[in-house]
Amino acid sequence: MPELALPAPAFARTVRGRTGPGLLLAHGAGGGVEANYGPLLDRLAAEHRVVGVDYPGTGDTPRSTRPLLLDDLADQLVSAATAEGLDTFAVLGYSLGTAVAVRAAVRHPERVTALVLTAPVARPSARLRLHAELWRDLHASGAHVELARFLVPLALGASALEALSEDEIDAVVRETARTLPPGSADHADLVTRIDVREDLARVSVPTLVLSTTEDLLVSPDLHRATAAAIPAAEFAELPTGHLPFAENPDVWLDRITEFLNRRGATG
């Protein structure tokens, strides 16, 4: 398969670390590189040259004037890496970013050396599609507090949520509503349309699927289905809800780095 031409970099990007193998970061819907990977960035950069992009409508990337496409997000992520001088790299994807990572591996197999997929979804279940549609519509209508009240109990694991006082929960809801990125509805709309099921069998690099076991948003059955469809994928569990960066970033980081080091996923 001939190498695909890359578009000019157009998304705001985060770059950490000066040396080491390349590691790309693909964030989730309604998130961003800093929002989803902030607690991990410095420690990942100690061993890797880390590059991530913010999708349209988050960070410093303007909103798109048309519906988001998975191919565009994947190509922009790879384009940012090549602009930073990386020829090959592993890709760490989270939630929606796992579909971006898989599509990058299939479209650019000569560049991707390994995948780590946390809370992955290849195609939304009926339940997730309905949740994403409501997410999209509430955000588009400006009902951000109501959207936050809907998302918080889905995103936080039960143990993490029940450990909070009522005042703390109210504070989390307010902060969630305040920090929803302008492109959140566009990201949620893409979630309703993603389908990388045919891509999974074409993944030919070492892959680790990390299942967030208390996840009520992207449920563990979707994680297991993704792992089962990727040849020789490894599968491990994280005892968190959908937000491992908030609930247990140290264990998340340990799983990622152990796999990358053991499988020799260098760039």
Side-chain angles (χ1 to χ4, degrees), residues 6-227:
L6 289 169
F11 294 178
R13 61 183 179 263
T14 297
V15 182
R16 297 285 181 89
R18 295 186 177 183
T19 60
L23 178 62
L24 307 193
L25 307 180
H27 68 76
V33 174
E34 185 64 41
N36 291 168
Y37 295 108
L40 278 61
L41 282 174
D42 287 341
R43 289 177 286 178
L44 289 172
E47 297 183 6
H48 298 86
R49 174 80 164 160
V50 178
V51 177
V53 298
D54 288 321
Y55 308 151
T58 195
D60 291 329
T61 306
R63 280 190 69 185
S64 177
T65 58
R66 60 186 178 89
L68 300 181
L69 297 176
L70 203 59
D71 285 358
D72 292 343
L73 301 189
D75 288 355
Q76 280 292 333
L77 180 61
V78 173
S79 181
T82 62
E84 292 297 331
L86 294 174
D87 294 323
T88 58
F89 31 75
V91 186
L92 169 58
Y94 161 70
S95 195
L96 170 62
T98 63
V100 176
V102 166
R103 185 57 56 85
V106 169
R107 287 175 64 81
H108 305 280
E110 72 286 349
R111 296 186 181 278
V112 175
T113 60
L115 294 175
V116 180
L117 308 176
T118 302
V121 54
R123 181 177 183 270
S125 61
R127 181 173 174 275
L128 176 55
R129 179 179 55 80
L130 289 168
H131 283 159
E133 288 173 347
L134 183 57
W135 178 352
R136 175 195 65 200
D137 296 345
L138 284 173
H139 189 272
S141 73
H144 293 180
V145 173
E146 290 79 2
L147 174 57
R149 289 190 180 122
F150 167 70
L151 288 177
V152 166
L154 287 175
L156 274 177
S159 55
L161 184 64
E162 295 302 328
L164 300 176
S165 67
E166 290 186 10
D167 288 344
E168 289 171 330
I169 292 173
D170 288 343
V172 170
V173 168
R174 289 194 302 271
E175 182 65 8
T176 300
R178 186 187 70 82
T179 57
L180 290 167
S184 186
D186 304 327
H187 302 175
D189 179 69
L190 179 57
V191 171
T192 71
R193 296 182 280 109
I194 58 173
D195 190 346
V196 296
R197 290 174 298 173
E198 291 187 1
D199 295 339
L200 299 180
R202 298 170 59 193
V203 171
S204 59
V205 296
T207 299
L208 172 65
V209 171
L210 291 173
S211 175
T212 40
T213 58
E214 295 183 25
D215 202 328
L216 296 178
L217 185 61
V218 180
S219 52
D221 59 305
L222 297 175
H223 314 158
R224 291 190 291 270
T226 299

